[in-house]
Amino acid sequence: GPGPGPALPAVRLSLVRLGEPDSAGAGEPPATPAGLGSGGDRVCFNLGRELYFYPGCCRRGSQRSIDLNKPIDKRIYKGTQPTCHDFNQFTAATETISLLVGFSAGQVQYLDLIKKDTSKLFNEERLIDKTKVTYLKWLPESESLFLASHASGHLYLYNVSHPCASAPPQYSLLKQGEGFSVYAAKSKAPRNPLAKWAVGEGPLNEFAFSPDGRHLACVSQDGCLRVFHFDSMLLRGLMKSYFGGLLCVCWSPDGRYVVTGGEDDLVTVWSFTEGRVVARGHGHKSWVNAVAFDPYTTRAEEVATAAGADGERSGEEEEEEEEEPEAAGTGSAGAAPVSPLPKAGSITYRFGSAGQDTQFCLWDLTEDVLYPHPPLARTRTLPGTPGTTPPAASSSRGGEPGPGPLPRSLSRSNSLPHPAGGGKAGGPGVAAEPGTPFSIGRFATLTLQERRDRGAEKEHKRYHSLGNISRGGGGGGGGGGGEKPSGPVPRSRLDPAKVLGTALCPRIHEVPLLEPLVCKKIAQERLTVLLFLEDCIITACQEGLICTWARPGKAGISSQPGNSPSGTVV
């Protein structure tokens, strides 16, 4: 809840790399300042009122995990609790390691692990924002600019070298759009904050910059993922959760896909390039608190052969090999007939998720899901669409990620053409026929009542109940993060009843439902951290236990034989 209530802030972990001893051309590993332990990483994590610092763990050839009994440094705060933090990887060096720390009462602290006297406090008097800091990030490749998001739903841009104003800041509106507005702070001298973004309804839970640093993905308690072009402040994409708030977000290493996790217990894969939900993953039994791509297993092969795809993917869990015939690359015998491949060759994205249910899941995003094939025999008609058969396989069945119903060329359209005309559209990059509406389409614009009447017999019971809840809640109760709106719904809130079944939030059977490759309970308390490194995976739970899991086949930490992802509990 807001403020330092009885619930402790989630344990978060930040990691900074100092020099790359392994990489060619990086020169010698830097000499280590006295008292900082050897090794190339620093780790910071919060637990209750405390902030701990450790030397990092996995480096190639190193045998150690994080020894929780030997922190380099520890800070205890009174009256407020650390909620999030971020190292500046861009400026990190032996003589400076900059860290930002956000607090439950709204302040942000800047400190340097090496220059101990350079601490600064922002929003100290809480004149800028009185709600807790939910997330913090340095701007990519910036020495001094950072963003802080708050439970108020506001996002502030700061410059470390500027002071904060001594009075509450005054703002002028810069940009306004669907569910967001951006303000510039009025000030004669350079003062913080430089700008304020008001995004969505309710708390802004997390945000992430795209790998190229140009786009910013935000997830909010109103259940929306919003992707902005950061410099121009334009909304570039919007997606709505199945229900409830979205809690975490990450980008694929190539910047094409965004994965979110949230209170609908699902992981959702959204294509940034196509502006549509590509797949959902169902494996968690409770909220999904952390999502991350594994950049060391995600590969785009030049040659689309099974051997190439398999041999290249290093970090396989033993267990996965048995469980995932699909992921062996498009050329494998069991795969569906291959549609024209995209130029990138065979692509497999691997990502992980960690949840409130103490489970860690691994997922593979394979070509058959990303680029659905032309229709096969197993099709299912969308209730209420007269005279159209979507080129779709019902993907609500088991673990079978059947070809997705929406060809990428029709990403924003909900009235799908007849397969006779639309069969070619299954191949990537084919433009939609002129006759295809690019709007949300006829099906989506029916009123909820018409839609329910027309599709009543065929429609799954679950959607009835969702529709009823949404209507009963005055149009906002279903996904409004638990608050019952009174009177007319404000414009920025998307009415869940109208959104379900549109491109913003497809129904469950309208997009492939992925099954996890691995789904394992790895903690006693809810998991809050997931990090993929070259030779290990780091997870942390609310008890403050940080676990380092060796990747199979890597020399190191403690590889146990057998099917479990091996690991050291530290």
Side-chain angles (χ1 to χ4, degrees):
L8 290 177
V11 170
R12 302 249 193 190
L13 183 140
S14 297
L15 175 120
V16 65
R17 325 218 88 171
L18 296 181
E20 288 281 354
D22 324 312
S23 57
E28 289 301 301
T32 312
L36 272 181
S38 62
D41 298 351
R42 295 288 169 272
V43 169
C44 156
F45 74 91
N46 58 293
L47 182 62
R49 295 185 299 124
E50 296 163 346
L51 203 56
Y52 291 89
F53 299 93
Y54 290 90
C57 55
C58 322
R59 301 298 276 192
R60 284 196 193 92
S62 73
Q63 295 279 331
R64 67 165 190 269
S65 54
I66 299 172
D67 182 353
L68 289 189
N69 300 316
K70 297 180 184 165
I72 301 170
D73 196 1
K74 173 180 163 182
R75 291 167 175 259
I76 301 178
Y77 294 93
K78 296 193 182 78
T80 182
Q81 298 168 328
T83 52
C84 49
H85 29 82
D86 188 40
F87 284 111
N88 193 335
Q89 181 63 63
F90 180 62
T91 58
T94 41
E95 56 291 341
T96 176
I97 303 179
S98 303
L99 177 74
L100 297 167
V101 186
F103 292 92
S104 54
Q107 305 90 337
V108 175
Q109 186 181 26
Y110 165 79
L111 43 101
D112 193 311
L113 266 59
I114 296 170
K115 304 175 185 153
K116 299 280 182 173
D117 48 353
T118 54
S119 172
K120 292 183 184 181
L121 202 54
F122 301 99
N123 192 28
E124 183 172 6
E125 306 295 324
R126 304 170 70 217
L127 298 172
I128 298 169
D129 200 304
K130 291 186 164 50
T131 64
K132 77 168 176 186
V133 183
T134 52
Y135 207 66
L136 272 176
K137 269 280 175 247
W138 291 95
L139 261 61
E141 307 204 342
S142 169
E143 294 184 19
S144 53
L145 297 174
F146 69 89
L147 279 177
S149 65
H150 287 255
S152 58
H154 294 166
L155 185 65
Y156 299 92
L157 177 63
Y158 285 87
N159 186 326
V160 168
S161 46
H162 296 177
C164 287
S166 50
Q170 303 291 310
Y171 298 100
S172 58
L173 185 67
L174 273 181
K175 269 264 164 59
Q176 203 160 18
E178 184 60 47
F180 79 98
S181 33
V182 188
Y183 303 87
K186 296 183 199 165
S187 167
K188 294 188 178 68
R191 290 279 181 270
N192 279 315
L194 308 176
K196 169 173 96 168
W197 296 56
V199 181
E201 295 265 325
L204 201 166
N205 289 324
E206 201 172 292
F207 58 88
F209 279 99
S210 59
D212 64 7
R214 290 183 192 165
H215 291 92
L216 180 69
C218 303
V219 290
S220 304
Q221 198 55 40
D222 62 7
C224 287
L225 158 73
R226 292 177 177 86
V227 181
F228 298 97
H229 183 268
F230 187 67
D231 288 342
S232 67
M233 299 167 282
L234 292 169
L235 184 63
R236 284 275 186 260
L238 180 64
M239 181 201 85
K240 176 79 176 61
S241 70
Y242 199 66
F243 61 82
L246 287 176
L247 304 174
C248 51
V249 61
C250 66
W251 289 82
S252 63
D254 59 8
R256 284 166 173 246
Y257 298 96
V258 176
V259 167
T260 63
E263 295 176 357
D264 51 12
D265 307 354
L266 299 170
V267 292
T268 304
V269 183
W270 183 79
S271 165
F272 176 51
T273 45
E274 303 166 53
R276 68 179 181 98
V277 176
V278 180
R280 292 190 178 103
H282 186 239
H284 288 283
K285 299 178 181 66
S286 186
W287 298 357
V288 181
N289 289 331
V291 284
F293 273 83
D294 179 354
Y296 305 99
T297 314
T298 294
R299 293 236 187 278
E301 303 305 346
E302 288 309 311
V303 191
T305 61
D310 253 7
E312 285 287 331
R313 286 203 319 229
S314 46
E316 296 286 3
E317 309 277 354
E318 290 98 329
E319 182 177 8
E320 287 162 34
E321 286 304 356
E322 304 146 22
E323 284 195 31
E324 83 181 87
E326 311 250 340
T330 27
S332 69
V338 180
S339 65
L341 287 176
K343 293 191 176 61
S346 164
I347 306 173
T348 300
Y349 296 88
R350 162 76 47 85
F351 64 94
S353 57
Q356 201 90 351
D357 57 1
T358 71
Q359 295 201 99
F360 163 65
C361 292
L362 274 175
W363 312 82
D364 260 10
L365 199 52
T366 48
E367 218 142 79
D368 50 346
V369 173
L370 300 177
Y371 305 112
H373 306 303
L376 303 175
R378 309 189 307 267
T379 54
R380 168 198 275 195
T381 35
L382 277 177
T385 17
T388 59
T389 326
S394 150
S395 22
S396 42
R397 31 166 93 237
E400 193 180 325
L406 291 178
R408 51 197 304 224
S409 54
L410 306 177
S411 52
R412 287 178 187 76
S413 152
N414 233 52
S415 37
L416 299 168
H418 198 272
K424 292 196 201 78
V430 183
E433 289 103 38
T436 311
F438 223 68
S439 65
I440 284 177
R442 178 178 38 183
F443 173 57
T445 49
L446 297 174
T447 66
L448 183 73
Q449 193 53 47
E450 286 174 60
R451 225 186 307 166
R452 286 181 61 235
D453 292 348
R454 292 170 79 167
E457 309 80 37
K458 296 179 206 156
E459 221 167 321
H460 198 294
K461 287 204 176 65
R462 182 186 312 174
Y463 309 126
H464 279 320
S465 58
L466 195 75
N468 291 335
I469 292 167
S470 313
R471 278 221 320 283
E483 48 196 30
K484 281 272 186 272
S486 53
V489 181
R491 235 191 33 182
S492 61
R493 175 176 290 149
L494 291 166
D495 179 348
K498 293 202 179 84
V499 168
L500 185 70
T502 69
L504 286 180
C505 179
R507 293 171 186 278
I508 282 289
H509 63 260
E510 288 174 1
V511 291
L513 198 59
L514 305 175
E515 294 275 316
L517 305 171
V518 172
C519 193
K520 201 159 186 69
K521 177 180 164 65
I522 57 168
Q524 295 303 316
E525 276 288 331
R526 63 192 168 115
L527 292 166
T528 53
V529 169
L530 174 60
L531 210 56
F532 287 96
L533 303 180
E534 295 93 325
D535 44 12
C536 64
I537 298 171
I538 297 180
T539 59
C541 69
Q542 202 47 34
E543 280 179 297
L545 279 180
I546 296 176
C547 301
T548 314
W549 307 88
R551 290 182 186 264
K554 298 282 182 195
I557 310 177
S558 72
S559 280
Q560 307 153 348
N563 275 352
S564 63
S566 53
T568 41
V569 177
V570 292

